[in-house]
Amino acid sequence: MLRKIQPKKNQPHGGSFAIVASRYNARYVDAMLRAAKAELWRADVSRIQIVRVPGAYEIPVVAKRLARTSPGLSAIICLGVILRGQTVHAAHIGEAVNRALMEIQLAHEIPVIHEVLLLENEAQACARCLNPKHNRGTEAAQTALAMARVLKSLQS
């Protein structure tokens, strides 16, 4: 069952965020991207950098480059949609992206928010990406804001 995303009263954040978004399955990813940007703007962030890549498999290399070369970045949000087909290809892509994003987050000590969705079908994509009550882009931005606050609190 999908959990309804609760609107957050965001305190002004000011931080700098990056979003790496796949162009593949653009209908769904673009909806998540719009929702994530809107949530970050509501939090009054200082900067949002958007980088588009061809597909989900290409997201980790860009996330790693951003983590390594963008000082002061509060978090990186990764958005993509992988739809299962009749082969195991989608599972392999999903597993590789999952592992790579975790490693980037740990190596660079920056939140890497993983919303590269591995879904069974377009109905699941519609429910998670096009429905504003369950949009994973909004949820990704809320998580990025929360994690940026947590890590900032640990600096002292």
Side-chain angles (χ1 to χ4, degrees), residues 30-116:
D30 290 351
M32 287 195 302
L33 177 59
R34 282 190 301 274
K37 286 187 334 188
E39 190 70 16
L40 292 173
W41 286 129
R42 272 194 290 280
D44 199 27
V45 302
S46 300
R47 182 169 174 257
I48 303 172
Q49 178 182 2
I50 311 243
V51 181
R52 297 305 295 261
V53 297
Y57 194 73
E58 293 76 31
I59 290 172
V61 71
V62 173
K64 184 171 184 172
R65 174 71 59 93
L66 288 166
R68 187 170 46 84
T69 63
S70 301
L73 200 56
S74 301
I76 301 168
I77 299 169
C78 300
L79 304 175
V81 171
I82 304 166
L83 295 173
R84 287 192 195 270
Q86 295 180 349
T87 68
V88 295
H89 179 73
H92 292 306
I93 297 295
E95 290 169 16
V97 169
N98 183 60
R99 187 172 34 260
L101 294 180
M102 179 201 57
E103 290 173 4
I104 294 163
Q105 175 170 256
L106 295 174
H108 296 279
E109 295 183 4
I110 183 170
V112 177
I113 310 308
H114 182 340
E115 283 298 337
V116 180

Coordinates of all heavy atoms in Angstrom, one line a residue, residues 30-116:
D30 N 10.1 13.1 -15.3 CA 9.8 14.5 -15.4 C 8.8 15.0 -14.3 O 9.0 16.0 -13.7 CB 9.3 15.0 -16.7 CG 10.4 14.9 -17.8 OD1 11.6 14.6 -17.5 OD2 10.0 15.0 -19.0
A31 N 7.8 14.1 -14.0 CA 6.9 14.5 -13.0 C 7.5 14.4 -11.6 O 7.3 15.3 -10.7 CB 5.7 13.5 -13.0
M32 N 8.4 13.5 -11.4 CA 9.1 13.4 -10.1 C 10.1 14.6 -10.0 O 10.2 15.2 -8.9 CB 9.9 12.1 -10.0 CG 9.1 10.9 -9.7 SD 10.1 9.5 -9.1 CE 11.3 9.3 -10.4
L33 N 10.7 15.0 -11.1 CA 11.6 16.1 -11.1 C 10.9 17.4 -10.7 O 11.3 18.2 -9.9 CB 12.3 16.3 -12.4 CG 13.3 17.4 -12.6 CD1 14.4 17.4 -11.6 CD2 13.8 17.4 -14.1
R34 N 9.7 17.6 -11.4 CA 8.9 18.9 -11.1 C 8.5 18.9 -9.6 O 8.6 19.9 -8.9 CB 7.7 18.9 -11.9 CG 7.9 19.4 -13.4 CD 6.6 19.6 -14.1 NE 5.8 18.4 -14.2 CZ 5.9 17.5 -15.2 NH1 6.8 17.6 -16.1 NH2 5.0 16.5 -15.2
A35 N 8.1 17.8 -9.1 CA 7.7 17.7 -7.7 C 8.9 17.9 -6.7 O 8.7 18.7 -5.7 CB 7.0 16.3 -7.4
A36 N 10.0 17.4 -7.0 CA 11.2 17.6 -6.2 C 11.6 19.0 -6.2 O 11.9 19.6 -5.1 CB 12.3 16.7 -6.6
K37 N 11.7 19.6 -7.4 CA 12.1 21.1 -7.4 C 11.1 21.9 -6.7 O 11.5 22.8 -5.9 CB 12.1 21.5 -8.9 CG 13.3 21.0 -9.6 CD 13.5 21.6 -11.0 CE 12.3 22.1 -11.8 NZ 12.5 22.4 -13.2
A38 N 9.8 21.7 -6.8 CA 8.8 22.5 -6.1 C 9.0 22.4 -4.6 O 8.9 23.4 -3.8 CB 7.4 22.0 -6.5
E39 N 9.2 21.2 -4.1 CA 9.4 21.0 -2.6 C 10.7 21.7 -2.2 O 10.7 22.3 -1.1 CB 9.5 19.5 -2.3 CG 9.5 19.1 -0.9 CD 8.1 19.4 -0.2 OE1 7.1 19.5 -0.9 OE2 8.1 19.4 1.0
L40 N 11.8 21.6 -2.9 CA 13.0 22.3 -2.6 C 12.8 23.8 -2.6 O 13.3 24.5 -1.7 CB 14.1 21.9 -3.5 CG 14.6 20.5 -3.3 CD1 15.7 20.2 -4.4 CD2 15.2 20.2 -1.9
W41 N 12.1 24.3 -3.6 CA 11.8 25.8 -3.6 C 11.0 26.2 -2.4 O 11.2 27.3 -1.9 CB 11.2 26.2 -4.9 CG 12.1 26.2 -6.1 CD1 11.8 25.6 -7.3 CD2 13.4 26.8 -6.2 NE1 12.9 25.8 -8.2 CE2 13.8 26.5 -7.5 CE3 14.1 27.6 -5.4 CZ2 15.1 27.0 -8.0 CZ3 15.4 28.0 -5.8 CH2 15.8 27.8 -7.1
R42 N 10.0 25.4 -2.0 CA 9.2 25.7 -0.8 C 10.1 25.8 0.4 O 9.7 26.5 1.3 CB 8.1 24.6 -0.6 CG 6.8 24.9 -1.4 CD 5.7 24.0 -0.9 NE 5.8 22.6 -1.2 CZ 5.6 22.1 -2.4 NH1 5.2 22.8 -3.4 NH2 5.7 20.8 -2.6
A43 N 11.2 25.1 0.4 CA 12.1 25.2 1.6 C 13.1 26.3 1.4 O 14.0 26.4 2.3 CB 12.8 23.8 1.7
D44 N 13.0 27.1 0.4 CA 13.8 28.3 0.2 C 15.3 27.9 0.1 O 16.1 28.5 0.7 CB 13.5 29.3 1.3 CG 14.0 30.7 0.9 OD1 14.1 31.0 -0.3 OD2 14.4 31.4 1.8
V45 N 15.6 26.9 -0.7 CA 17.0 26.5 -0.8 C 17.7 27.5 -1.7 O 17.1 28.2 -2.5 CB 17.2 25.1 -1.5 CG1 16.5 24.0 -0.6 CG2 16.6 25.0 -2.9
S46 N 19.0 27.6 -1.5 CA 19.8 28.6 -2.2 C 20.0 28.3 -3.7 O 19.9 29.1 -4.6 CB 21.2 28.8 -1.6 OG 21.0 29.2 -0.3
R47 N 20.2 27.0 -4.0 CA 20.6 26.6 -5.3 C 20.1 25.2 -5.6 O 20.2 24.3 -4.8 CB 22.1 26.7 -5.5 CG 22.6 26.3 -6.8 CD 24.1 26.7 -6.9 NE 24.6 26.3 -8.2 CZ 25.4 25.2 -8.4 NH1 25.7 24.5 -7.3 NH2 25.8 24.9 -9.5
I48 N 19.6 25.0 -6.8 CA 19.2 23.6 -7.3 C 19.9 23.5 -8.6 O 19.7 24.2 -9.6 CB 17.7 23.4 -7.5 CG1 17.0 23.7 -6.2 CG2 17.4 22.0 -8.0 CD1 15.5 23.7 -6.3
Q49 N 20.8 22.5 -8.7 CA 21.5 22.1 -10.0 C 20.8 20.9 -10.5 O 20.7 19.9 -9.8 CB 23.0 21.9 -9.7 CG 23.7 21.5 -11.0 CD 25.2 21.3 -10.7 OE1 25.6 21.3 -9.6 NE2 25.9 20.9 -11.8
I50 N 20.4 20.9 -11.8 CA 19.7 19.8 -12.4 C 20.7 19.3 -13.5 O 21.2 20.0 -14.3 CB 18.4 20.2 -13.1 CG1 17.6 21.0 -12.1 CG2 17.7 19.0 -13.7 CD1 16.4 20.5 -11.6
V51 N 20.9 18.0 -13.4 CA 21.7 17.3 -14.5 C 20.9 16.1 -15.0 O 20.4 15.3 -14.3 CB 23.0 16.7 -13.9 CG1 23.9 16.1 -15.0 CG2 23.8 17.8 -13.2
R52 N 20.7 16.2 -16.3 CA 19.9 15.1 -17.0 C 20.9 14.1 -17.6 O 21.9 14.5 -18.2 CB 19.0 15.7 -18.1 CG 17.9 16.6 -17.6 CD 17.0 16.1 -16.5 NE 16.2 14.9 -16.8 CZ 14.9 15.0 -17.2 NH1 14.3 16.2 -17.2 NH2 14.2 13.9 -17.5
V53 N 20.6 12.8 -17.5 CA 21.4 11.7 -18.1 C 20.5 10.8 -18.9 O 19.3 10.9 -18.7 CB 22.1 10.9 -17.0 CG1 23.1 11.8 -16.2 CG2 21.1 10.3 -16.0
P54 N 21.1 10.1 -19.8 CA 20.2 9.2 -20.7 C 19.4 8.2 -20.0 O 18.2 8.1 -20.3 CB 21.3 8.5 -21.6 CG 22.5 9.4 -21.6 CD 22.5 10.0 -20.2
G55 N 19.9 7.5 -19.0 CA 19.1 6.5 -18.4 C 19.5 6.3 -16.9 O 20.5 7.0 -16.4
A56 N 18.9 5.4 -16.2 CA 19.2 5.1 -14.8 C 20.6 4.7 -14.6 O 21.2 5.1 -13.6 CB 18.2 4.1 -14.3
Y57 N 21.2 3.9 -15.5 CA 22.5 3.3 -15.3 C 23.6 4.4 -15.3 O 24.6 4.3 -14.7 CB 22.8 2.3 -16.4 CG 24.0 1.5 -16.2 CD1 23.9 0.4 -15.2 CD2 25.2 1.7 -16.9 CE1 25.0 -0.4 -15.0 CE2 26.3 0.9 -16.6 CZ 26.2 -0.2 -15.7 OH 27.3 -1.0 -15.5
E58 N 23.3 5.6 -15.9 CA 24.2 6.7 -16.0 C 24.2 7.6 -14.8 O 25.0 8.5 -14.6 CB 24.0 7.5 -17.3 CG 24.3 6.7 -18.5 CD 23.3 5.7 -18.9 OE1 22.1 5.8 -18.7 OE2 23.7 4.6 -19.5
I59 N 23.2 7.4 -13.9 CA 23.0 8.3 -12.8 C 24.2 8.3 -11.8 O 24.7 9.3 -11.4 CB 21.7 8.0 -12.0 CG1 20.5 8.5 -12.9 CG2 21.6 8.7 -10.7 CD1 19.1 8.1 -12.4
P60 N 24.7 7.1 -11.4 CA 25.8 7.1 -10.4 C 27.1 7.8 -10.8 O 27.7 8.5 -9.9 CB 26.1 5.6 -10.2 CG 24.8 4.9 -10.6 CD 24.2 5.7 -11.7
V61 N 27.5 7.7 -12.0 CA 28.7 8.4 -12.4 C 28.6 9.9 -12.2 O 29.5 10.6 -11.8 CB 29.2 8.0 -13.8 CG1 28.4 8.6 -14.9 CG2 30.7 8.4 -14.0
V62 N 27.5 10.5 -12.5 CA 27.2 11.9 -12.4 C 27.1 12.2 -10.9 O 27.7 13.3 -10.4 CB 26.0 12.4 -13.2 CG1 25.7 13.8 -12.9 CG2 26.3 12.2 -14.7
A63 N 26.4 11.4 -10.1 CA 26.3 11.6 -8.7 C 27.7 11.6 -8.1 O 28.0 12.5 -7.2 CB 25.4 10.6 -8.1
K64 N 28.5 10.7 -8.5 CA 29.9 10.7 -7.9 C 30.7 11.9 -8.2 O 31.4 12.5 -7.4 CB 30.6 9.4 -8.4 CG 32.0 9.3 -7.7 CD 32.6 7.9 -8.0 CE 33.9 7.8 -7.2 NZ 34.5 6.5 -7.3
R65 N 30.6 12.3 -9.5 CA 31.3 13.6 -9.9 C 30.8 14.8 -9.1 O 31.6 15.6 -8.6 CB 31.1 13.8 -11.4 CG 31.7 15.1 -11.9 CD 33.2 15.2 -12.0 NE 33.8 14.1 -12.8 CZ 34.1 14.2 -14.1 NH1 33.9 15.4 -14.7 NH2 34.7 13.2 -14.7
L66 N 29.5 14.9 -8.9 CA 29.0 16.0 -8.1 C 29.4 15.9 -6.7 O 29.8 17.0 -6.1 CB 27.4 16.0 -8.2 CG 26.8 16.4 -9.5 CD1 25.3 16.0 -9.5 CD2 27.0 17.9 -9.7
A67 N 29.4 14.7 -6.1 CA 29.9 14.6 -4.7 C 31.3 15.0 -4.6 O 31.7 15.6 -3.6 CB 29.6 13.2 -4.3
R68 N 32.1 14.6 -5.6 CA 33.6 14.9 -5.5 C 34.0 16.3 -5.8 O 34.9 16.8 -5.2 CB 34.3 13.9 -6.4 CG 35.8 13.9 -6.4 CD 36.4 12.8 -7.1 NE 35.9 12.6 -8.5 CZ 36.3 13.3 -9.6 NH1 37.2 14.2 -9.4 NH2 35.8 13.0 -10.7
T69 N 33.2 17.0 -6.7 CA 33.6 18.3 -7.2 C 32.8 19.5 -6.8 O 33.0 20.6 -7.3 CB 33.8 18.2 -8.7 OG1 32.5 18.0 -9.3 CG2 34.7 17.2 -9.2
S70 N 31.7 19.3 -6.0 CA 30.8 20.4 -5.7 C 30.8 20.6 -4.2 O 30.0 20.1 -3.4 CB 29.4 20.0 -6.1 OG 29.3 19.8 -7.5
P71 N 31.8 21.4 -3.7 CA 31.9 21.7 -2.3 C 30.6 22.4 -1.8 O 30.1 23.2 -2.5 CB 33.1 22.5 -2.1 CG 33.4 23.1 -3.5 CD 32.8 22.1 -4.5
G72 N 30.2 22.1 -0.6 CA 29.0 22.8 -0.1 C 27.7 22.2 -0.5 O 26.6 22.7 -0.1
L73 N 27.7 21.1 -1.3 CA 26.5 20.5 -1.7 C 25.8 19.8 -0.5 O 26.4 19.1 0.2 CB 26.8 19.5 -2.8 CG 25.6 19.0 -3.7 CD1 25.0 20.2 -4.4 CD2 26.2 18.1 -4.7
S74 N 24.5 20.1 -0.3 CA 23.8 19.6 0.9 C 23.3 18.2 0.7 O 23.3 17.4 1.6 CB 22.6 20.5 1.2 OG 23.0 21.8 1.5
A75 N 22.9 17.8 -0.6 CA 22.5 16.5 -0.9 C 22.3 16.4 -2.4 O 22.2 17.4 -3.1 CB 21.1 16.2 -0.2
I76 N 22.3 15.1 -2.8 CA 22.1 14.8 -4.3 C 20.9 13.9 -4.3 O 20.8 12.9 -3.6 CB 23.3 14.0 -4.9 CG1 24.6 14.9 -4.7 CG2 23.1 13.7 -6.3 CD1 25.9 14.1 -5.0
I77 N 19.9 14.3 -5.1 CA 18.7 13.5 -5.3 C 18.8 12.8 -6.7 O 19.1 13.5 -7.7 CB 17.5 14.4 -5.3 CG1 17.4 15.1 -4.0 CG2 16.2 13.7 -5.6 CD1 16.3 16.3 -3.9
C78 N 18.6 11.5 -6.7 CA 18.7 10.7 -7.9 C 17.3 10.2 -8.3 O 16.7 9.5 -7.5 CB 19.7 9.6 -7.7 SG 21.4 10.2 -7.3
L79 N 16.9 10.6 -9.5 CA 15.5 10.2 -10.0 C 15.6 9.4 -11.2 O 16.2 9.8 -12.2 CB 14.7 11.5 -10.2 CG 14.6 12.5 -9.1 CD1 13.8 13.7 -9.5 CD2 13.9 11.8 -7.9
G80 N 14.9 8.3 -11.3 CA 14.8 7.5 -12.5 C 13.7 6.5 -12.3 O 13.2 6.2 -11.2
V81 N 13.3 5.9 -13.4 CA 12.2 4.9 -13.4 C 12.7 3.7 -14.4 O 13.0 4.0 -15.5 CB 10.9 5.4 -13.9 CG1 9.9 4.3 -14.1 CG2 10.3 6.4 -12.9
I82 N 12.8 2.6 -13.8 CA 13.1 1.3 -14.5 C 11.9 0.5 -14.5 O 11.4 0.1 -13.4 CB 14.3 0.6 -13.9 CG1 15.5 1.5 -13.7 CG2 14.7 -0.6 -14.6 CD1 16.6 1.0 -12.8
L83 N 11.4 0.1 -15.7 CA 10.2 -0.8 -15.8 C 10.7 -2.2 -16.1 O 11.5 -2.4 -17.1 CB 9.2 -0.3 -16.8 CG 8.6 1.1 -16.5 CD1 7.8 1.6 -17.7 CD2 7.7 1.0 -15.2
R84 N 10.3 -3.2 -15.4 CA 10.7 -4.5 -15.6 C 10.1 -5.0 -17.0 O 9.0 -4.6 -17.4 CB 10.1 -5.5 -14.6 CG 10.8 -5.4 -13.3 CD 10.4 -6.5 -12.4 NE 10.8 -6.3 -11.0 CZ 12.0 -6.6 -10.5 NH1 12.9 -7.2 -11.2 NH2 12.2 -6.4 -9.2
G85 N 10.9 -5.7 -17.7 CA 10.4 -6.3 -19.0 C 10.3 -7.8 -18.8 O 10.1 -8.3 -17.7
Q86 N 10.6 -8.5 -19.9 CA 10.5 -9.9 -19.9 C 11.9 -10.6 -19.6 O 12.0 -11.8 -19.6 CB 9.9 -10.4 -21.2 CG 8.5 -10.0 -21.3 CD 7.9 -10.4 -22.6 OE1 8.6 -10.9 -23.5 NE2 6.6 -10.3 -22.8
T87 N 12.9 -9.8 -19.4 CA 14.2 -10.3 -19.1 C 14.7 -9.8 -17.8 O 14.0 -9.0 -17.1 CB 15.2 -9.9 -20.2 OG1 15.4 -8.5 -20.1 CG2 14.7 -10.2 -21.6
V88 N 15.8 -10.2 -17.3 CA 16.4 -9.8 -16.1 C 17.2 -8.5 -16.2 O 17.7 -8.0 -15.2 CB 17.2 -10.9 -15.4 CG1 16.4 -12.1 -15.1 CG2 18.4 -11.2 -16.3
H89 N 17.2 -7.9 -17.3 CA 18.0 -6.7 -17.6 C 17.7 -5.6 -16.5 O 18.5 -4.9 -16.0 CB 17.8 -6.1 -19.0 CG 18.5 -4.9 -19.3 ND1 19.9 -4.9 -19.5 CD2 18.1 -3.6 -19.5 CE1 20.3 -3.7 -19.7 NE2 19.2 -2.9 -19.7
A90 N 16.4 -5.3 -16.3 CA 16.0 -4.2 -15.4 C 16.5 -4.5 -14.0 O 16.9 -3.6 -13.3 CB 14.4 -4.1 -15.4
A91 N 16.4 -5.7 -13.6 CA 16.9 -6.1 -12.2 C 18.4 -5.8 -12.1 O 18.9 -5.3 -11.1 CB 16.6 -7.5 -11.9
H92 N 19.2 -6.2 -13.1 CA 20.6 -5.9 -13.1 C 20.9 -4.4 -13.0 O 21.8 -4.0 -12.3 CB 21.3 -6.5 -14.4 CG 21.3 -8.0 -14.4 ND1 21.8 -8.8 -13.4 CD2 20.9 -8.9 -15.3 CE1 21.7 -10.1 -13.7 NE2 21.1 -10.1 -14.9
I93 N 20.2 -3.6 -13.8 CA 20.4 -2.2 -13.8 C 20.0 -1.7 -12.4 O 20.8 -0.9 -11.8 CB 19.5 -1.5 -14.8 CG1 19.9 -1.9 -16.2 CG2 19.6 0.0 -14.7 CD1 21.3 -1.5 -16.7
G94 N 18.9 -2.1 -11.8 CA 18.4 -1.6 -10.5 C 19.4 -2.0 -9.4 O 19.8 -1.1 -8.6
E95 N 20.0 -3.2 -9.4 CA 20.9 -3.6 -8.4 C 22.2 -2.8 -8.5 O 22.8 -2.4 -7.5 CB 21.2 -5.1 -8.6 CG 20.1 -6.0 -8.2 CD 20.3 -7.4 -8.6 OE1 21.4 -7.8 -8.9 OE2 19.3 -8.2 -8.6
A96 N 22.7 -2.6 -9.8 CA 23.9 -1.8 -10.0 C 23.8 -0.4 -9.5 O 24.7 0.1 -8.8 CB 24.4 -1.9 -11.4
V97 N 22.7 0.2 -9.8 CA 22.5 1.6 -9.4 C 22.4 1.7 -7.9 O 22.9 2.6 -7.3 CB 21.2 2.2 -10.1 CG1 20.8 3.5 -9.5 CG2 21.4 2.3 -11.6
N98 N 21.6 0.8 -7.3 CA 21.4 0.8 -5.9 C 22.8 0.7 -5.2 O 23.1 1.5 -4.3 CB 20.6 -0.4 -5.5 CG 20.3 -0.5 -4.0 OD1 19.7 0.5 -3.5 ND2 20.7 -1.5 -3.4
R99 N 23.6 -0.2 -5.5 CA 24.9 -0.4 -4.9 C 25.8 0.8 -5.1 O 26.5 1.3 -4.2 CB 25.6 -1.7 -5.5 CG 26.8 -2.1 -4.8 CD 27.4 -3.5 -5.2 NE 27.2 -3.8 -6.7 CZ 26.2 -4.6 -7.1 NH1 25.4 -5.2 -6.3 NH2 26.1 -4.9 -8.4
A100 N 25.8 1.3 -6.3 CA 26.7 2.5 -6.6 C 26.3 3.7 -5.8 O 27.2 4.4 -5.3 CB 26.7 2.8 -8.1
L101 N 25.0 4.0 -5.7 CA 24.6 5.2 -5.0 C 24.9 5.0 -3.5 O 25.3 6.0 -2.9 CB 23.1 5.4 -5.2 CG 22.7 5.8 -6.6 CD1 21.2 6.0 -6.7 CD2 23.4 7.0 -7.1
M102 N 24.7 3.8 -2.9 CA 25.1 3.6 -1.5 C 26.6 3.9 -1.3 O 27.0 4.6 -0.4 CB 24.7 2.2 -1.1 CG 25.1 2.0 0.4 SD 25.3 0.2 0.8 CE 26.5 -0.3 -0.4
E103 N 27.4 3.4 -2.2 CA 28.9 3.6 -2.1 C 29.3 5.0 -2.2 O 30.1 5.5 -1.5 CB 29.6 2.7 -3.1 CG 29.5 1.2 -2.8 CD 30.1 0.3 -3.9 OE1 30.6 0.9 -4.9 OE2 29.9 -0.9 -3.8
I104 N 28.6 5.8 -3.1 CA 28.9 7.2 -3.2 C 28.6 7.9 -2.0 O 29.4 8.8 -1.5 CB 28.2 7.8 -4.4 CG1 28.6 7.2 -5.7 CG2 28.3 9.3 -4.5 CD1 27.7 7.4 -6.9
Q105 N 27.4 7.7 -1.4 CA 27.0 8.3 -0.2 C 28.0 8.1 0.9 O 28.4 9.0 1.7 CB 25.6 7.8 0.2 CG 25.0 8.3 1.5 CD 23.6 7.9 1.6 OE1 22.8 8.7 1.5 NE2 23.3 6.6 1.9
L106 N 28.4 6.9 1.1 CA 29.3 6.5 2.2 C 30.7 7.1 2.0 O 31.3 7.6 2.9 CB 29.4 5.0 2.4 CG 28.1 4.4 2.9 CD1 28.2 2.9 2.9 CD2 27.6 4.9 4.2
A107 N 31.2 7.0 0.8 CA 32.6 7.5 0.5 C 32.7 9.0 0.6 O 33.7 9.5 1.1 CB 33.0 7.0 -1.0
H108 N 31.7 9.7 0.2 CA 31.7 11.2 0.2 C 31.0 11.8 1.4 O 31.0 13.1 1.5 CB 31.3 11.7 -1.1 CG 32.1 11.3 -2.2 ND1 33.3 11.9 -2.6 CD2 32.0 10.2 -3.1 CE1 33.9 11.3 -3.6 NE2 33.1 10.3 -3.9
E109 N 30.3 11.0 2.2 CA 29.6 11.6 3.4 C 28.7 12.7 3.0 O 28.6 13.7 3.6 CB 30.6 12.0 4.5 CG 31.3 10.8 5.0 CD 32.2 11.2 6.2 OE1 32.2 12.4 6.6 OE2 33.0 10.3 6.7
I110 N 27.9 12.4 1.9 CA 26.9 13.4 1.5 C 25.6 12.6 1.2 O 25.7 11.4 0.7 CB 27.3 14.1 0.2 CG1 26.3 15.2 -0.2 CG2 27.7 13.2 -0.9 CD1 26.7 16.1 -1.3
P111 N 24.5 13.0 1.6 CA 23.2 12.3 1.3 C 23.0 12.1 -0.2 O 23.1 13.1 -0.9 CB 22.1 13.1 2.0 CG 22.8 14.0 3.0 CD 24.2 14.3 2.4
V112 N 22.8 10.9 -0.6 CA 22.5 10.6 -1.9 C 21.1 9.9 -1.9 O 21.0 8.8 -1.4 CB 23.5 9.7 -2.6 CG1 23.1 9.3 -4.0 CG2 24.9 10.3 -2.7
I113 N 20.1 10.7 -2.3 CA 18.7 10.2 -2.1 C 18.4 9.3 -3.3 O 18.4 9.8 -4.4 CB 17.8 11.4 -1.9 CG1 18.3 12.3 -0.9 CG2 16.4 10.9 -1.7 CD1 18.6 11.7 0.5
H114 N 18.0 8.1 -3.1 CA 17.8 7.1 -4.1 C 16.3 7.0 -4.4 O 15.6 6.3 -3.7 CB 18.4 5.8 -3.6 CG 18.3 4.6 -4.5 ND1 17.4 4.5 -5.6 CD2 18.9 3.4 -4.5 CE1 17.6 3.4 -6.2 NE2 18.5 2.7 -5.5
E115 N 15.9 7.6 -5.5 CA 14.6 7.4 -6.0 C 14.6 7.0 -7.5 O 14.0 7.5 -8.3 CB 13.7 8.7 -5.9 CG 13.2 9.0 -4.5 CD 12.3 7.9 -3.9 OE1 11.7 7.2 -4.7 OE2 12.2 7.8 -2.7
V116 N 15.5 6.0 -7.7 CA 15.5 5.3 -9.0 C 14.7 4.1 -8.8 O 15.1 3.1 -8.2 CB 17.0 5.0 -9.4 CG1 17.0 4.3 -10.7 CG2 17.8 6.2 -9.4

